[in-house]
Amino acid sequence: MSTVAAPAGPAPAGPKRRLPAGGDGVPLRLYGASRRTVNLVTIACGLFAVFTLVPIWWIFVSSTKTVNNFNSTFGFWFSRPFVLWSNLKEVFSNRESGSFLQWLANTAIYASIGGVGGTVLSAMAGYGFARFNFRGRNVLFLFIMGSLLIPIVAFAVPLYLVYAKFHMNSTMPGIFIPFMISPVSVYLMRVYAGGSVPRELIDAARIDGAGEARIFLRIATPLMVPALVTVFMLNVVSAWNNYFLPFIVNNSAKLYTLTQGLQVWFWHTNIPGSTENFTVITIAAGMISILPLLTMFIVLQRYWRGGLLLGSLTG
Amino acid sequence: MLRLGGSVAQEVKERAQLVPSRRSPQQRAAARTGAWLTAPALVLVATFVLFPLGFAIYISLTDWPLVGPYHFVGFTNYANAFHDPQFVHAILFTLTYTGIVTGPIFVVGYGLAVLVRSNRPGAKFFRTVFFLPFVVGLTTVSYMFSLELQPSSGGVDFVLSKLGLVSASQAWTVNYGPALLAISVIVVWFASGLTMLVLMGGMQAVPDELYEAADADGASWWDKERLITLPLIRRPIALSLIISVIGSFLAFNQFFILVQNNSSLETVVEWVYQTAFNQYHLAYGTTMAVLLMVVIAVVSAAQFVLLRERSR
């Protein structure tokens, strides 16, 4: 590993130093099991996969039903009439209780800014902590890691008061800036940069006269892509699904997140004798709100190295 | 124990470079770059986490009202919290809930990790499927489950009543037992994938040679799991337990959405929220939140230390 010196040298694909060779860097680990064992393992996987997928399936099936059919037919299969399109039209139509399109757009904005911002900040910090020696490095790293143990509820009231002082309650930055803070991402980026960006490569680039910004952008960043994708996904998912923070700092209906908006509709479903039946519409809205996350995860999962990143915690 | 020679040497080198001897201009330039790179993250953490936290501790020592002046009251809020039956109940309930879900999440997550850690065909597919609930998220799913669990019309009652397990009008989210059972199943559904991911990463980092050696000695599957895998993945185990225990201590969404207005099913975070943001007892609510944070820090540290000590 120490022989890598050329700036354009082959990229070591991640913190592999502890991983033995084998296909994807993942060792085969069935210990030469018999055909029967393999079948049993597959059946167990299949059963749990059913348990995992059934609730998601139920959401999709239910969003294609009329309210009457929702109440009276088998929940896990389709029934006539198939009204997915008209339900979706209902979801996206403007109504007194708020515009779903607005909530979806808000959430997309918060989650993309939070996701991109969080990824950039933790890539910079992780690379900085892993590859530069500066005074107080370890203390400052502990400082970030320590915040992992501080739940948002612990500082919800002061955050609200500080926001009030600086007129940040019910503003977009007030909602998305906290989404950019992710100690776990800094930790993962530090571990990954430490294993995949060789010091020799950085030194060689410096000798060639490259500036630090250029080294970070052109040499370090491409080597950290799997970790960047992983961290980006974790940040987007946690921002998209965040409930407590918007709940505390935002009460402007225009800035509602999906989780807040769904709550409004959800409460409508619980009002007995309300004129409109929101149940199926709420489910269709829930389906739309998980769809982007599922799509992103499935599209990006070939870059996803969650297991490998976390595995580097061993030892 | 798993550290290979190379990484130890590297670490020694890194430590040696940290010694504050006379630094060359290049080293000082590097230090400056490092500081610049880490500064944005540090500033955000300081502004949006640590400063509000310090402020929270300050508030907890006062009688901070919604408007008007405040006074120092010392540790009165803390003393009151321990004598507040509703708060003590919320703590006990949160502990009960944590006790109920931690075991199943870990066992299921471990089982899944064993199932998908190998590289055989299909393992990658199942890995993705098992992690999907975590991506879907607990909030949306709590709304959906709440509708799914409705008596008579929901899917759960339909299936279970066909199987003869419950009556078709079981109201899941009203009474203590059924509600806790339903929420526990939802949380196991949601959280097992993350535990699986953490443990699987640890398992994949165990060198193959160890298993090959054990095979040569004729060790059984269970022996290998118990004597090789478990001792070598103590840190991932500690991490997965810390993540799931913190998550349970902070449970809010699923309870707030599925069972509102049932004080026997109130978690600490719900109680803090009600006290601070519904009744506007800002200082008192903050005090309880600070106590919760202390408990989390202590439990996390204890789990880490306990699981680390024995591996030596």
Side-chain angles (χ1 to χ4, degrees):
Chain A
M1 257 197 107
S2 58
T3 54
V4 183
K16 270 198 178 167
R17 55 209 156 102
R18 296 197 190 105
L19 295 175
D24 193 19
V26 182
L28 190 73
R29 194 60 59 69
L30 269 180
Y31 322 145
S34 66
R35 187 81 226 143
R36 216 187 91 219
T37 319
V38 174
N39 288 340
L40 283 177
V41 166
T42 310
I43 290 169
C45 279
L47 286 178
F48 199 83
V50 169
F51 173 67
T52 306
L53 293 174
V54 147
I56 303 174
W57 174 246
W58 180 89
I59 296 173
F60 279 91
V61 169
S62 298
S63 61
T64 69
K65 290 184 175 178
T66 61
V67 175
N68 278 337
N69 278 341
F70 172 76
N71 285 330
S72 60
T73 61
F74 181 54
F76 300 98
W77 197 249
F78 303 98
S79 63
R80 280 167 198 282
F82 184 90
V83 290
L84 175 64
W85 306 120
S86 71
N87 283 341
L88 291 183
K89 235 167 81 189
E90 283 288 308
V91 168
F92 283 103
S93 67
N94 265 308
R95 52 184 78 244
E96 259 177 81
S97 46
S99 149
F100 182 80
L101 198 61
Q102 176 94 61
W103 303 333
L104 186 66
N106 290 343
T107 306
I109 292 169
Y110 306 145
S112 357
I113 297 180
V116 172
T119 308
V120 170
L121 289 181
S122 48
M124 286 168 63
Y127 171 69
F129 280 123
R131 283 293 168 256
F132 293 90
N133 301 316
F134 51 94
R135 196 169 298 158
R137 174 172 81 153
N138 292 335
V139 176
L140 293 173
F141 185 65
L142 278 179
F143 189 74
I144 291 190
M145 289 291 83
S147 65
L148 190 62
L149 294 179
I150 305 169
I152 183 149
V153 62
F155 55 89
V157 169
L159 192 68
Y160 180 84
L161 295 174
V162 171
Y163 271 26
K165 183 101 185 152
F166 293 98
H167 306 290
M168 274 176 77
N169 278 316
S170 305
T171 63
M172 277 207 172
I175 299 170
F176 67 66
I177 292 177
F179 288 164
M180 305 202 294
I181 300 171
S182 171
V184 179
S185 304
V186 174
Y187 180 84
L188 291 178
M189 290 309 308
R190 180 187 184 168
V191 169
Y192 201 84
S196 70
V197 185
R199 282 177 189 280
E200 293 81 358
L201 202 58
I202 301 173
D203 289 339
R206 279 195 195 123
I207 290 165
D208 288 349
E212 294 295 340
R214 198 176 146 87
I215 296 176
F216 173 65
L217 291 174
R218 303 296 290 273
I219 295 172
T221 306
L223 293 175
M224 300 193 292
V225 164
L228 291 172
V229 173
T230 305
V231 159
F232 174 74
M233 276 170 47
L234 287 177
N235 282 333
V236 169
V237 167
S238 78
W240 194 278
N241 290 324
N242 204 314
Y243 181 61
F244 195 75
L245 180 91
F247 203 64
I248 299 292
V249 301
N250 172 39
N251 53 29
S252 151
K254 272 201 149 77
L255 298 176
Y256 270 0
T257 61
L258 279 173
T259 47
Q260 288 183 294
L262 278 179
Q263 179 169 44
V264 174
W265 284 5
F266 177 72
W267 279 345
H268 275 257
T269 65
N270 283 353
I271 300 168
S274 67
T275 48
E276 210 173 352
N277 196 320
F278 263 74
T279 314
V280 171
I281 299 169
T282 306
I283 292 172
M287 196 260 296
I288 299 292
S289 59
I290 63 175
L291 213 52
L293 291 180
L294 290 179
T295 314
M296 180 191 72
F297 181 66
I298 290 164
V299 168
L300 290 183
Q301 59 123 350
R302 62 202 195 91
Y303 299 102
W304 163 257
R305 288 287 189 282
L308 293 187
L309 284 172
L310 293 162
S312 51
L313 291 166
T314 335
Chain B
M1 187 181 173
L2 263 179
R3 288 226 164 99
L4 303 181
S7 65
V8 172
Q10 196 186 343
E11 201 140 294
V12 171
K13 212 170 95 191
E14 282 177 23
R15 292 263 162 87
Q17 285 170 352
L18 268 181
V19 176
S21 59
R22 263 163 281 132
R23 295 187 167 203
S24 66
Q26 286 97 328
Q27 277 172 327
R28 254 180 284 141
R32 232 184 354 259
T33 314
W36 275 113
L37 282 165
T38 51
L42 285 164
V43 167
L44 273 194
V45 168
T47 322
F48 286 87
V49 182
L50 296 172
F51 170 69
L53 179 70
F55 194 8
I57 294 168
Y58 182 80
I59 290 175
S60 74
L61 301 172
T62 69
D63 62 351
W64 204 284
L66 198 58
V67 282
Y70 66 91
H71 313 277
F72 267 99
V73 294
F75 288 93
T76 316
N77 287 325
Y78 289 90
N80 287 345
F82 286 109
H83 293 111
D84 181 336
Q86 207 27 273
F87 180 58
V88 171
H89 182 275
I91 289 182
L92 292 178
F93 175 70
T94 308
L95 288 175
T96 310
Y97 164 74
T98 306
I100 290 173
V101 296
T102 306
I105 291 173
F106 181 76
V107 171
V108 172
Y110 195 100
L112 294 180
V114 170
L115 291 176
V116 301
R117 65 187 167 188
S118 75
N119 217 8
R120 74 207 154 73
K124 210 170 175 181
F125 168 76
F126 283 120
R127 244 175 261 166
T128 309
V129 170
F130 296 157
F131 195 67
L132 281 184
F134 188 80
V135 175
V136 168
L138 202 49
T139 318
T140 313
V141 152
S142 296
Y143 293 123
M144 298 297 115
F145 268 107
S146 176
L147 300 170
E148 194 162 351
L149 288 168
Q150 274 177 354
S152 313
S153 63
V156 171
D157 271 0
F158 188 91
V159 170
L160 291 183
S161 65
K162 284 277 182 271
L163 294 171
L165 291 173
V166 298
S167 76
S169 56
Q170 171 70 39
W172 287 98
T173 55
V174 177
N175 296 317
Y176 184 87
L180 196 52
L181 176 69
I183 288 178
S184 302
V185 171
I186 294 169
V187 166
V188 171
W189 177 83
F190 165 75
S192 306
L194 189 63
T195 298
M196 171 197 80
L197 197 71
V198 174
L199 295 179
M200 186 189 76
M203 289 170 180
Q204 289 175 341
V206 179
D208 259 349
E209 295 76 20
L210 295 177
Y211 294 103
E212 283 158 17
D215 278 335
D217 291 343
S220 72
W221 179 88
W222 175 240
D223 282 340
K224 281 181 282 192
E225 205 60 32
R226 189 168 53 91
L227 298 171
I228 300 175
T229 316
L230 275 175
L232 287 181
I233 61 166
R234 278 187 194 281
R235 276 174 74 175
I237 288 176
L239 181 74
S240 70
L241 286 177
I242 287 171
I243 292 174
S244 97
V245 167
I246 291 182
S248 305
F249 277 173
L250 296 178
F252 174 77
N253 304 3
Q254 61 273 43
F255 286 95
F256 192 74
I257 293 166
L258 284 158
V259 281
Q260 272 210 36
N261 308 321
N262 185 337
S263 61
S264 71
L265 288 157
E266 199 156 53
T267 65
V268 178
V269 177
E270 263 184 300
W271 184 235
V272 169
Y273 171 76
Q274 297 293 359
T275 309
F277 290 96
N278 267 3
Q279 299 158 16
Y280 298 114
H281 299 308
L282 298 184
Y284 190 43
T286 304
T287 305
M288 297 190 287
V290 169
L291 283 172
L292 177 66
M293 185 200 66
V294 172
V295 171
I296 287 176
V298 169
V299 170
S300 308
Q303 277 175 320
F304 221 68
V305 169
L306 282 178
L307 280 164
R308 220 177 194 179
E309 291 275 290
R310 267 184 277 156
S311 68
R312 292 286 137 114

